Amino acid sequence: MVEALLQLDGIGFQQLGLEVGGGAMIGGIIGYAAKKVAKIIAVIVGLELALFKFLETRGVLQVDWDAISGGAKNATASAGEAGGDGASLLSSLLSAVPVSTGFTGGFLVGFKKG
């Protein structure tokens, strides 16, 4: 029955497998790279904050730590406000389910291995 429904839409199991598998491969590569980049950025930011603290204790500069933490709060608040048209978003998401499912699984595996 599932095969008959897929054939009505013009999608076969082979095409579905290629989309899921291709998405998983791409997701795995991107997930692995994303974790490596995130580690590098975390080290750079950590070193920068340590340098700021060191220079502050030496009296070379004065750091407004409240402003630094406030910037992080503003960034997370603005990220949560992103929105769009619900109907068009739903139809777009449903058309990309096979690729995005594979991509998500691959991304999670790649991110864990990275």
Side-chain angles (χ1 to χ4, degrees):
M1 173 140 184
V2 172
E3 186 173 343
L5 289 173
L6 289 174
Q7 291 300 330
L8 288 176
D9 290 336
I11 299 174
F13 280 118
Q14 183 177 8
Q15 179 68 27
L16 188 65
L18 287 172
E19 289 181 7
V20 171
M25 252 180 57
I26 292 169
I29 292 168
I30 291 175
Y32 184 83
K35 187 163 186 184
K36 294 297 181 185
V37 169
K39 285 180 181 180
I40 291 170
I41 290 172
V43 167
I44 291 170
V45 168
L47 289 173
E48 182 180 5
L49 291 174
L51 178 65
F52 286 167
K53 189 64 177 170
F54 173 75
L55 292 175
E56 185 181 40
T57 59
R58 297 287 183 184
V60 175
L61 66 100
Q62 184 177 359
V63 179
D64 186 5
W65 295 105
D66 292 332
I68 291 175
S69 63
K73 290 178 186 175
N74 290 340
T76 56
S78 64
E81 294 172 359
D85 181 20
S88 64
L89 179 65
L90 182 62
S91 64
S92 297
L93 288 175
L94 289 177
S95 67
V97 166
V99 175
S100 60
T101 302
F103 180 87
T104 303
F107 183 88
L108 292 174
V109 169
F111 196 81
K112 184 174 181 171
K113 296 289 181 184

